[in-house]
Amino acid sequence: MRRRNPDYHARPVPPFGDPQARLLIVGLAPGMHGANRTGRPFTGDYAGILLYETLHAFGFGSKAVSIAADDDLRLLDCRITNAVKCLPPENKPEPSEIKTCNRYLAAELQASPEVRVILALGLVAHKAVLMALGLKQSALAFGHGARHALPPHDRAASGAGGRILIDSYHCSRYNTQTRRLTSADFQHVFQSVRNELDAA
């Protein structure tokens, strides 16, 4: 990839956003011409359009668009990461790849006691979060808009109570163009996220 596109980031994509955030959004993997190119999650591809618009609408982003890793966009009380850190073959992560990368997600969660709400974008992200927390895959079923109370022992001592996992369909081009996920649907999920944080 780097030989064909020498100006691409083309290496693991780090998380983006507030290191003390209470909201952690977990996506799938860097897109070939999105985060793999720009070095920022959900930046440069179609999936990021709806995500960053919605983040801005709910007060989590300073601007409604993410153009490049060196623009002046800031995330507020929010951080974005991915289940898989590098561009997967054919843009589709293999189970072995998800498992190999999971230790990085586990470390992110362990090092982020401030995180109160985890938003999983899609089934793969949902399963990756459960794996990273040492929970059985059958423990919590994925469902768009589903709210799951995670075990209190997952929460670091600096916080009270357990974390909340909220699921959403991924904001991919396929899901939005087929109307599986509409802008209103996505906003409803973010309203749930905002309600959780406001009540914390």
Side-chain angles (χ1 to χ4, degrees), residues 138-177:
S138 59
L140 305 170
F142 175 83
H144 178 75
R147 176 193 185 275
H148 309 283
L150 296 172
H153 68 265
D154 161 60
R155 190 95 167 126
S158 63
R163 288 169 166 162
I164 303 299
L165 171 63
I166 294 178
D167 295 330
S168 173
Y169 291 136
H170 195 283
C171 47
S172 66
R173 182 190 296 267
Y174 176 82
N175 283 342
T176 56
Q177 288 190 341

PDB file of all heavy atoms in Angstrom, residues 138-177:
ATOM      1  N   SER A 138     -21.615 -14.422  24.393  1.00  0.00           N
ATOM      2  CA  SER A 138     -23.054 -14.653  24.533  1.00  0.00           C
ATOM      3  C   SER A 138     -23.678 -13.830  25.652  1.00  0.00           C
ATOM      4  O   SER A 138     -24.895 -13.829  25.827  1.00  0.00           O
ATOM      5  CB  SER A 138     -23.308 -16.138  24.811  1.00  0.00           C
ATOM      6  OG  SER A 138     -22.631 -16.546  26.002  1.00  0.00           O
ATOM      7  N   ALA A 139     -22.851 -13.092  26.386  1.00  0.00           N
ATOM      8  CA  ALA A 139     -23.362 -12.379  27.565  1.00  0.00           C
ATOM      9  C   ALA A 139     -24.296 -11.234  27.193  1.00  0.00           C
ATOM     10  O   ALA A 139     -25.313 -11.006  27.858  1.00  0.00           O
ATOM     11  CB  ALA A 139     -22.195 -11.850  28.400  1.00  0.00           C
ATOM     12  N   LEU A 140     -23.966 -10.512  26.136  1.00  0.00           N
ATOM     13  CA  LEU A 140     -24.736  -9.329  25.735  1.00  0.00           C
ATOM     14  C   LEU A 140     -24.960  -9.365  24.232  1.00  0.00           C
ATOM     15  O   LEU A 140     -24.003  -9.351  23.466  1.00  0.00           O
ATOM     16  CB  LEU A 140     -23.983  -8.043  26.123  1.00  0.00           C
ATOM     17  CG  LEU A 140     -23.579  -7.897  27.593  1.00  0.00           C
ATOM     18  CD1 LEU A 140     -22.651  -6.715  27.775  1.00  0.00           C
ATOM     19  CD2 LEU A 140     -24.812  -7.750  28.484  1.00  0.00           C
ATOM     20  N   ALA A 141     -26.198  -9.400  23.811  1.00  0.00           N
ATOM     21  CA  ALA A 141     -26.516  -9.495  22.385  1.00  0.00           C
ATOM     22  C   ALA A 141     -26.490  -8.109  21.733  1.00  0.00           C
ATOM     23  O   ALA A 141     -27.009  -7.141  22.289  1.00  0.00           O
ATOM     24  CB  ALA A 141     -27.885 -10.131  22.188  1.00  0.00           C
ATOM     25  N   PHE A 142     -25.899  -8.048  20.542  1.00  0.00           N
ATOM     26  CA  PHE A 142     -25.876  -6.794  19.786  1.00  0.00           C
ATOM     27  C   PHE A 142     -27.272  -6.456  19.274  1.00  0.00           C
ATOM     28  O   PHE A 142     -28.018  -7.329  18.823  1.00  0.00           O
ATOM     29  CB  PHE A 142     -24.924  -6.915  18.591  1.00  0.00           C
ATOM     30  CG  PHE A 142     -24.932  -5.703  17.700  1.00  0.00           C
ATOM     31  CD1 PHE A 142     -24.169  -4.599  17.998  1.00  0.00           C
ATOM     32  CD2 PHE A 142     -25.733  -5.659  16.559  1.00  0.00           C
ATOM     33  CE1 PHE A 142     -24.181  -3.468  17.182  1.00  0.00           C
ATOM     34  CE2 PHE A 142     -25.753  -4.544  15.738  1.00  0.00           C
ATOM     35  CZ  PHE A 142     -24.975  -3.442  16.055  1.00  0.00           C
ATOM     36  N   GLY A 143     -27.605  -5.177  19.317  1.00  0.00           N
ATOM     37  CA  GLY A 143     -28.850  -4.691  18.737  1.00  0.00           C
ATOM     38  C   GLY A 143     -28.770  -3.192  18.585  1.00  0.00           C
ATOM     39  O   GLY A 143     -28.284  -2.500  19.489  1.00  0.00           O
ATOM     40  N   HIS A 144     -29.204  -2.686  17.466  1.00  0.00           N
ATOM     41  CA  HIS A 144     -29.128  -1.237  17.256  1.00  0.00           C
ATOM     42  C   HIS A 144     -29.904  -0.518  18.355  1.00  0.00           C
ATOM     43  O   HIS A 144     -31.078  -0.797  18.596  1.00  0.00           O
ATOM     44  CB  HIS A 144     -29.682  -0.846  15.895  1.00  0.00           C
ATOM     45  CG  HIS A 144     -29.652   0.637  15.673  1.00  0.00           C
ATOM     46  ND1 HIS A 144     -28.494   1.314  15.389  1.00  0.00           N
ATOM     47  CD2 HIS A 144     -30.637   1.562  15.733  1.00  0.00           C
ATOM     48  CE1 HIS A 144     -28.765   2.614  15.278  1.00  0.00           C
ATOM     49  NE2 HIS A 144     -30.050   2.786  15.476  1.00  0.00           N
ATOM     50  N   GLY A 145     -29.231   0.392  19.023  1.00  0.00           N
ATOM     51  CA  GLY A 145     -29.844   1.154  20.104  1.00  0.00           C
ATOM     52  C   GLY A 145     -29.861   0.431  21.440  1.00  0.00           C
ATOM     53  O   GLY A 145     -30.341   0.998  22.428  1.00  0.00           O
ATOM     54  N   ALA A 146     -29.323  -0.777  21.484  1.00  0.00           N
ATOM     55  CA  ALA A 146     -29.335  -1.538  22.737  1.00  0.00           C
ATOM     56  C   ALA A 146     -28.422  -0.889  23.774  1.00  0.00           C
ATOM     57  O   ALA A 146     -27.358  -0.357  23.445  1.00  0.00           O
ATOM     58  CB  ALA A 146     -28.915  -2.978  22.489  1.00  0.00           C
ATOM     59  N   ARG A 147     -28.844  -0.966  25.021  1.00  0.00           N
ATOM     60  CA  ARG A 147     -28.066  -0.443  26.157  1.00  0.00           C
ATOM     61  C   ARG A 147     -27.722  -1.611  27.066  1.00  0.00           C
ATOM     62  O   ARG A 147     -28.607  -2.368  27.485  1.00  0.00           O
ATOM     63  CB  ARG A 147     -28.892   0.589  26.922  1.00  0.00           C
ATOM     64  CG  ARG A 147     -28.218   1.133  28.176  1.00  0.00           C
ATOM     65  CD  ARG A 147     -29.233   1.895  29.029  1.00  0.00           C
ATOM     66  NE  ARG A 147     -28.624   2.539  30.180  1.00  0.00           N
ATOM     67  CZ  ARG A 147     -28.390   1.936  31.350  1.00  0.00           C
ATOM     68  NH1 ARG A 147     -28.689   0.649  31.505  1.00  0.00           N
ATOM     69  NH2 ARG A 147     -27.851   2.617  32.358  1.00  0.00           N
ATOM     70  N   HIS A 148     -26.444  -1.748  27.369  1.00  0.00           N
ATOM     71  CA  HIS A 148     -25.987  -2.842  28.217  1.00  0.00           C
ATOM     72  C   HIS A 148     -25.222  -2.262  29.411  1.00  0.00           C
ATOM     73  O   HIS A 148     -24.266  -1.506  29.224  1.00  0.00           O
ATOM     74  CB  HIS A 148     -25.052  -3.778  27.459  1.00  0.00           C
ATOM     75  CG  HIS A 148     -25.579  -4.250  26.146  1.00  0.00           C
ATOM     76  ND1 HIS A 148     -26.532  -5.241  26.038  1.00  0.00           N
ATOM     77  CD2 HIS A 148     -25.288  -3.862  24.867  1.00  0.00           C
ATOM     78  CE1 HIS A 148     -26.792  -5.455  24.761  1.00  0.00           C
ATOM     79  NE2 HIS A 148     -26.054  -4.630  24.036  1.00  0.00           N
ATOM     80  N   ALA A 149     -25.628  -2.631  30.615  1.00  0.00           N
ATOM     81  CA  ALA A 149     -24.866  -2.265  31.811  1.00  0.00           C
ATOM     82  C   ALA A 149     -23.741  -3.269  31.977  1.00  0.00           C
ATOM     83  O   ALA A 149     -23.986  -4.470  32.111  1.00  0.00           O
ATOM     84  CB  ALA A 149     -25.778  -2.261  33.032  1.00  0.00           C
ATOM     85  N   LEU A 150     -22.510  -2.798  31.933  1.00  0.00           N
ATOM     86  CA  LEU A 150     -21.360  -3.680  32.074  1.00  0.00           C
ATOM     87  C   LEU A 150     -21.098  -3.949  33.554  1.00  0.00           C
ATOM     88  O   LEU A 150     -21.465  -3.141  34.410  1.00  0.00           O
ATOM     89  CB  LEU A 150     -20.141  -3.040  31.407  1.00  0.00           C
ATOM     90  CG  LEU A 150     -20.280  -2.853  29.889  1.00  0.00           C
ATOM     91  CD1 LEU A 150     -19.115  -2.031  29.344  1.00  0.00           C
ATOM     92  CD2 LEU A 150     -20.367  -4.195  29.176  1.00  0.00           C
ATOM     93  N   PRO A 151     -20.467  -5.070  33.861  1.00  0.00           N
ATOM     94  CA  PRO A 151     -20.217  -5.416  35.268  1.00  0.00           C
ATOM     95  C   PRO A 151     -19.462  -4.314  35.991  1.00  0.00           C
ATOM     96  O   PRO A 151     -18.507  -3.743  35.447  1.00  0.00           O
ATOM     97  CB  PRO A 151     -19.372  -6.690  35.168  1.00  0.00           C
ATOM     98  CG  PRO A 151     -19.707  -7.268  33.834  1.00  0.00           C
ATOM     99  CD  PRO A 151     -19.973  -6.098  32.939  1.00  0.00           C
ATOM    100  N   PRO A 152     -19.865  -4.000  37.235  1.00  0.00           N
ATOM    101  CA  PRO A 152     -19.201  -2.913  37.986  1.00  0.00           C
ATOM    102  C   PRO A 152     -17.706  -3.117  38.148  1.00  0.00           C
ATOM    103  O   PRO A 152     -16.967  -2.147  38.203  1.00  0.00           O
ATOM    104  CB  PRO A 152     -19.910  -2.958  39.342  1.00  0.00           C
ATOM    105  CG  PRO A 152     -21.250  -3.540  39.050  1.00  0.00           C
ATOM    106  CD  PRO A 152     -21.019  -4.537  37.948  1.00  0.00           C
ATOM    107  N   HIS A 153     -17.234  -4.380  38.196  1.00  0.00           N
ATOM    108  CA  HIS A 153     -15.794  -4.591  38.393  1.00  0.00           C
ATOM    109  C   HIS A 153     -14.971  -4.119  37.197  1.00  0.00           C
ATOM    110  O   HIS A 153     -13.760  -3.977  37.289  1.00  0.00           O
ATOM    111  CB  HIS A 153     -15.495  -6.069  38.683  1.00  0.00           C
ATOM    112  CG  HIS A 153     -15.736  -6.974  37.515  1.00  0.00           C
ATOM    113  ND1 HIS A 153     -16.909  -7.653  37.331  1.00  0.00           N
ATOM    114  CD2 HIS A 153     -14.942  -7.301  36.455  1.00  0.00           C
ATOM    115  CE1 HIS A 153     -16.835  -8.376  36.228  1.00  0.00           C
ATOM    116  NE2 HIS A 153     -15.661  -8.175  35.676  1.00  0.00           N
ATOM    117  N   ASP A 154     -15.645  -3.852  36.059  1.00  0.00           N
ATOM    118  CA  ASP A 154     -14.930  -3.314  34.905  1.00  0.00           C
ATOM    119  C   ASP A 154     -14.502  -1.874  35.143  1.00  0.00           C
ATOM    120  O   ASP A 154     -13.488  -1.423  34.651  1.00  0.00           O
ATOM    121  CB  ASP A 154     -15.819  -3.394  33.659  1.00  0.00           C
ATOM    122  CG  ASP A 154     -15.341  -2.467  32.557  1.00  0.00           C
ATOM    123  OD1 ASP A 154     -14.205  -2.637  32.110  1.00  0.00           O
ATOM    124  OD2 ASP A 154     -16.111  -1.583  32.168  1.00  0.00           O
ATOM    125  N   ARG A 155     -15.287  -1.155  35.934  1.00  0.00           N
ATOM    126  CA  ARG A 155     -15.031   0.269  36.187  1.00  0.00           C
ATOM    127  C   ARG A 155     -13.855   0.431  37.136  1.00  0.00           C
ATOM    128  O   ARG A 155     -13.788  -0.236  38.168  1.00  0.00           O
ATOM    129  CB  ARG A 155     -16.291   0.895  36.788  1.00  0.00           C
ATOM    130  CG  ARG A 155     -16.214   2.407  36.874  1.00  0.00           C
ATOM    131  CD  ARG A 155     -16.856   3.027  35.661  1.00  0.00           C
ATOM    132  NE  ARG A 155     -17.059   4.442  35.899  1.00  0.00           N
ATOM    133  CZ  ARG A 155     -16.617   5.376  35.096  1.00  0.00           C
ATOM    134  NH1 ARG A 155     -15.976   5.057  34.018  1.00  0.00           N
ATOM    135  NH2 ARG A 155     -16.848   6.639  35.357  1.00  0.00           N
ATOM    136  N   ALA A 156     -12.922   1.285  36.820  1.00  0.00           N
ATOM    137  CA  ALA A 156     -11.774   1.521  37.689  1.00  0.00           C
ATOM    138  C   ALA A 156     -12.219   2.179  38.989  1.00  0.00           C
ATOM    139  O   ALA A 156     -13.289   2.779  39.077  1.00  0.00           O
ATOM    140  CB  ALA A 156     -10.752   2.407  36.971  1.00  0.00           C
ATOM    141  N   ALA A 157     -11.372   2.089  39.994  1.00  0.00           N
ATOM    142  CA  ALA A 157     -11.743   2.554  41.328  1.00  0.00           C
ATOM    143  C   ALA A 157     -12.061   4.039  41.376  1.00  0.00           C
ATOM    144  O   ALA A 157     -12.759   4.504  42.277  1.00  0.00           O
ATOM    145  CB  ALA A 157     -10.604   2.241  42.298  1.00  0.00           C
ATOM    146  N   SER A 158     -11.572   4.803  40.401  1.00  0.00           N
ATOM    147  CA  SER A 158     -11.796   6.253  40.420  1.00  0.00           C
ATOM    148  C   SER A 158     -13.217   6.640  40.037  1.00  0.00           C
ATOM    149  O   SER A 158     -13.614   7.780  40.201  1.00  0.00           O
ATOM    150  CB  SER A 158     -10.822   6.948  39.468  1.00  0.00           C
ATOM    151  OG  SER A 158     -11.055   6.527  38.141  1.00  0.00           O
ATOM    152  N   GLY A 159     -14.007   5.690  39.537  1.00  0.00           N
ATOM    153  CA  GLY A 159     -15.375   6.003  39.128  1.00  0.00           C
ATOM    154  C   GLY A 159     -16.379   5.178  39.905  1.00  0.00           C
ATOM    155  O   GLY A 159     -16.064   4.129  40.447  1.00  0.00           O
ATOM    156  N   ALA A 160     -17.602   5.667  39.969  1.00  0.00           N
ATOM    157  CA  ALA A 160     -18.649   4.953  40.683  1.00  0.00           C
ATOM    158  C   ALA A 160     -19.518   4.201  39.680  1.00  0.00           C
ATOM    159  O   ALA A 160     -19.865   4.718  38.636  1.00  0.00           O
ATOM    160  CB  ALA A 160     -19.507   5.939  41.489  1.00  0.00           C
ATOM    161  N   GLY A 161     -19.868   2.973  40.026  1.00  0.00           N
ATOM    162  CA  GLY A 161     -20.765   2.205  39.178  1.00  0.00           C
ATOM    163  C   GLY A 161     -20.074   1.630  37.962  1.00  0.00           C
ATOM    164  O   GLY A 161     -18.870   1.792  37.766  1.00  0.00           O
ATOM    165  N   GLY A 162     -20.837   0.950  37.136  1.00  0.00           N
ATOM    166  CA  GLY A 162     -20.279   0.313  35.953  1.00  0.00           C
ATOM    167  C   GLY A 162     -20.421   1.165  34.715  1.00  0.00           C
ATOM    168  O   GLY A 162     -21.157   2.147  34.687  1.00  0.00           O
ATOM    169  N   ARG A 163     -19.725   0.764  33.678  1.00  0.00           N
ATOM    170  CA  ARG A 163     -19.832   1.435  32.398  1.00  0.00           C
ATOM    171  C   ARG A 163     -21.085   0.969  31.665  1.00  0.00           C
ATOM    172  O   ARG A 163     -21.654  -0.075  31.964  1.00  0.00           O
ATOM    173  CB  ARG A 163     -18.605   1.127  31.552  1.00  0.00           C
ATOM    174  CG  ARG A 163     -17.339   1.815  32.023  1.00  0.00           C
ATOM    175  CD  ARG A 163     -16.142   1.241  31.312  1.00  0.00           C
ATOM    176  NE  ARG A 163     -14.962   2.087  31.481  1.00  0.00           N
ATOM    177  CZ  ARG A 163     -13.729   1.674  31.274  1.00  0.00           C
ATOM    178  NH1 ARG A 163     -13.494   0.429  30.887  1.00  0.00           N
ATOM    179  NH2 ARG A 163     -12.704   2.491  31.440  1.00  0.00           N
ATOM    180  N   ILE A 164     -21.451   1.748  30.665  1.00  0.00           N
ATOM    181  CA  ILE A 164     -22.588   1.428  29.809  1.00  0.00           C
ATOM    182  C   ILE A 164     -22.069   1.200  28.394  1.00  0.00           C
ATOM    183  O   ILE A 164     -21.294   2.010  27.872  1.00  0.00           O
ATOM    184  CB  ILE A 164     -23.627   2.569  29.805  1.00  0.00           C
ATOM    185  CG1 ILE A 164     -24.122   2.873  31.229  1.00  0.00           C
ATOM    186  CG2 ILE A 164     -24.800   2.229  28.879  1.00  0.00           C
ATOM    187  CD1 ILE A 164     -24.803   1.711  31.912  1.00  0.00           C
ATOM    188  N   LEU A 165     -22.502   0.100  27.789  1.00  0.00           N
ATOM    189  CA  LEU A 165     -22.208  -0.173  26.388  1.00  0.00           C
ATOM    190  C   LEU A 165     -23.477   0.063  25.582  1.00  0.00           C
ATOM    191  O   LEU A 165     -24.528  -0.496  25.899  1.00  0.00           O
ATOM    192  CB  LEU A 165     -21.737  -1.626  26.211  1.00  0.00           C
ATOM    193  CG  LEU A 165     -21.582  -2.139  24.774  1.00  0.00           C
ATOM    194  CD1 LEU A 165     -20.509  -1.345  24.025  1.00  0.00           C
ATOM    195  CD2 LEU A 165     -21.261  -3.633  24.778  1.00  0.00           C
ATOM    196  N   ILE A 166     -23.375   0.915  24.577  1.00  0.00           N
ATOM    197  CA  ILE A 166     -24.498   1.199  23.681  1.00  0.00           C
ATOM    198  C   ILE A 166     -24.102   0.771  22.275  1.00  0.00           C
ATOM    199  O   ILE A 166     -22.971   1.023  21.835  1.00  0.00           O
ATOM    200  CB  ILE A 166     -24.883   2.690  23.726  1.00  0.00           C
ATOM    201  CG1 ILE A 166     -25.435   3.033  25.120  1.00  0.00           C
ATOM    202  CG2 ILE A 166     -25.917   3.028  22.647  1.00  0.00           C
ATOM    203  CD1 ILE A 166     -25.802   4.492  25.309  1.00  0.00           C
ATOM    204  N   ASP A 167     -25.023   0.108  21.587  1.00  0.00           N
ATOM    205  CA  ASP A 167     -24.768  -0.396  20.243  1.00  0.00           C
ATOM    206  C   ASP A 167     -25.443   0.465  19.183  1.00  0.00           C
ATOM    207  O   ASP A 167     -26.531   1.007  19.406  1.00  0.00           O
ATOM    208  CB  ASP A 167     -25.311  -1.816  20.078  1.00  0.00           C
ATOM    209  CG  ASP A 167     -24.610  -2.829  20.945  1.00  0.00           C
ATOM    210  OD1 ASP A 167     -23.415  -2.652  21.239  1.00  0.00           O
ATOM    211  OD2 ASP A 167     -25.266  -3.819  21.338  1.00  0.00           O
ATOM    212  N   SER A 168     -24.799   0.549  18.034  1.00  0.00           N
ATOM    213  CA  SER A 168     -25.400   1.177  16.860  1.00  0.00           C
ATOM    214  C   SER A 168     -24.948   0.426  15.618  1.00  0.00           C
ATOM    215  O   SER A 168     -23.845  -0.127  15.595  1.00  0.00           O
ATOM    216  CB  SER A 168     -24.969   2.637  16.737  1.00  0.00           C
ATOM    217  OG  SER A 168     -25.415   3.203  15.507  1.00  0.00           O
ATOM    218  N   TYR A 169     -25.794   0.419  14.607  1.00  0.00           N
ATOM    219  CA  TYR A 169     -25.306  -0.026  13.310  1.00  0.00           C
ATOM    220  C   TYR A 169     -24.158   0.888  12.898  1.00  0.00           C
ATOM    221  O   TYR A 169     -24.140   2.078  13.229  1.00  0.00           O
ATOM    222  CB  TYR A 169     -26.408   0.037  12.250  1.00  0.00           C
ATOM    223  CG  TYR A 169     -27.513  -0.967  12.435  1.00  0.00           C
ATOM    224  CD1 TYR A 169     -28.845  -0.595  12.284  1.00  0.00           C
ATOM    225  CD2 TYR A 169     -27.236  -2.291  12.736  1.00  0.00           C
ATOM    226  CE1 TYR A 169     -29.873  -1.512  12.448  1.00  0.00           C
ATOM    227  CE2 TYR A 169     -28.259  -3.223  12.901  1.00  0.00           C
ATOM    228  CZ  TYR A 169     -29.566  -2.826  12.756  1.00  0.00           C
ATOM    229  OH  TYR A 169     -30.569  -3.730  12.926  1.00  0.00           O
ATOM    230  N   HIS A 170     -23.218   0.336  12.168  1.00  0.00           N
ATOM    231  CA  HIS A 170     -22.079   1.119  11.700  1.00  0.00           C
ATOM    232  C   HIS A 170     -22.563   2.162  10.697  1.00  0.00           C
ATOM    233  O   HIS A 170     -23.466   1.914   9.903  1.00  0.00           O
ATOM    234  CB  HIS A 170     -21.052   0.194  11.045  1.00  0.00           C
ATOM    235  CG  HIS A 170     -19.720   0.816  10.839  1.00  0.00           C
ATOM    236  ND1 HIS A 170     -19.462   1.701   9.817  1.00  0.00           N
ATOM    237  CD2 HIS A 170     -18.552   0.674  11.525  1.00  0.00           C
ATOM    238  CE1 HIS A 170     -18.197   2.083   9.883  1.00  0.00           C
ATOM    239  NE2 HIS A 170     -17.621   1.486  10.905  1.00  0.00           N
ATOM    240  N   CYS A 171     -21.926   3.333  10.731  1.00  0.00           N
ATOM    241  CA  CYS A 171     -22.319   4.436   9.840  1.00  0.00           C
ATOM    242  C   CYS A 171     -21.629   4.310   8.483  1.00  0.00           C
ATOM    243  O   CYS A 171     -21.138   5.296   7.925  1.00  0.00           O
ATOM    244  CB  CYS A 171     -22.008   5.776  10.492  1.00  0.00           C
ATOM    245  SG  CYS A 171     -20.354   5.899  11.221  1.00  0.00           S
ATOM    246  N   SER A 172     -21.615   3.123   7.942  1.00  0.00           N
ATOM    247  CA  SER A 172     -20.984   2.855   6.653  1.00  0.00           C
ATOM    248  C   SER A 172     -21.860   3.345   5.503  1.00  0.00           C
ATOM    249  O   SER A 172     -23.064   3.563   5.659  1.00  0.00           O
ATOM    250  CB  SER A 172     -20.749   1.353   6.487  1.00  0.00           C
ATOM    251  OG  SER A 172     -21.992   0.671   6.405  1.00  0.00           O
ATOM    252  N   ARG A 173     -21.251   3.481   4.346  1.00  0.00           N
ATOM    253  CA  ARG A 173     -21.996   3.873   3.156  1.00  0.00           C
ATOM    254  C   ARG A 173     -23.124   2.875   2.878  1.00  0.00           C
ATOM    255  O   ARG A 173     -24.246   3.259   2.558  1.00  0.00           O
ATOM    256  CB  ARG A 173     -21.062   3.958   1.943  1.00  0.00           C
ATOM    257  CG  ARG A 173     -21.771   4.403   0.662  1.00  0.00           C
ATOM    258  CD  ARG A 173     -20.860   4.240  -0.550  1.00  0.00           C
ATOM    259  NE  ARG A 173     -19.693   5.084  -0.498  1.00  0.00           N
ATOM    260  CZ  ARG A 173     -19.624   6.296  -1.052  1.00  0.00           C
ATOM    261  NH1 ARG A 173     -20.678   6.803  -1.677  1.00  0.00           N
ATOM    262  NH2 ARG A 173     -18.519   6.996  -0.990  1.00  0.00           N
ATOM    263  N   TYR A 174     -22.815   1.581   2.988  1.00  0.00           N
ATOM    264  CA  TYR A 174     -23.830   0.556   2.711  1.00  0.00           C
ATOM    265  C   TYR A 174     -25.034   0.717   3.637  1.00  0.00           C
ATOM    266  O   TYR A 174     -26.188   0.705   3.181  1.00  0.00           O
ATOM    267  CB  TYR A 174     -23.230  -0.848   2.873  1.00  0.00           C
ATOM    268  CG  TYR A 174     -24.252  -1.944   2.693  1.00  0.00           C
ATOM    269  CD1 TYR A 174     -24.624  -2.376   1.419  1.00  0.00           C
ATOM    270  CD2 TYR A 174     -24.875  -2.532   3.796  1.00  0.00           C
ATOM    271  CE1 TYR A 174     -25.581  -3.360   1.247  1.00  0.00           C
ATOM    272  CE2 TYR A 174     -25.832  -3.518   3.643  1.00  0.00           C
ATOM    273  CZ  TYR A 174     -26.185  -3.928   2.367  1.00  0.00           C
ATOM    274  OH  TYR A 174     -27.144  -4.904   2.201  1.00  0.00           O
ATOM    275  N   ASN A 175     -24.793   0.874   4.926  1.00  0.00           N
ATOM    276  CA  ASN A 175     -25.902   0.969   5.885  1.00  0.00           C
ATOM    277  C   ASN A 175     -26.731   2.233   5.690  1.00  0.00           C
ATOM    278  O   ASN A 175     -27.955   2.207   5.851  1.00  0.00           O
ATOM    279  CB  ASN A 175     -25.381   0.902   7.321  1.00  0.00           C
ATOM    280  CG  ASN A 175     -25.020  -0.503   7.748  1.00  0.00           C
ATOM    281  OD1 ASN A 175     -25.442  -1.485   7.132  1.00  0.00           O
ATOM    282  ND2 ASN A 175     -24.242  -0.624   8.810  1.00  0.00           N
ATOM    283  N   THR A 176     -26.078   3.332   5.365  1.00  0.00           N
ATOM    284  CA  THR A 176     -26.838   4.571   5.198  1.00  0.00           C
ATOM    285  C   THR A 176     -27.570   4.615   3.857  1.00  0.00           C
ATOM    286  O   THR A 176     -28.697   5.096   3.779  1.00  0.00           O
ATOM    287  CB  THR A 176     -25.925   5.801   5.350  1.00  0.00           C
ATOM    288  OG1 THR A 176     -24.839   5.714   4.429  1.00  0.00           O
ATOM    289  CG2 THR A 176     -25.380   5.897   6.770  1.00  0.00           C
ATOM    290  N   GLN A 177     -26.937   4.087   2.796  1.00  0.00           N
ATOM    291  CA  GLN A 177     -27.597   4.119   1.490  1.00  0.00           C
ATOM    292  C   GLN A 177     -28.763   3.135   1.404  1.00  0.00           C
ATOM    293  O   GLN A 177     -29.710   3.369   0.660  1.00  0.00           O
ATOM    294  CB  GLN A 177     -26.578   3.851   0.379  1.00  0.00           C
ATOM    295  CG  GLN A 177     -25.634   5.028   0.168  1.00  0.00           C
ATOM    296  CD  GLN A 177     -24.780   4.887  -1.065  1.00  0.00           C
ATOM    297  OE1 GLN A 177     -24.603   3.803  -1.608  1.00  0.00           O
ATOM    298  NE2 GLN A 177     -24.221   6.001  -1.512  1.00  0.00           N
TER     299      GLN A 177
END
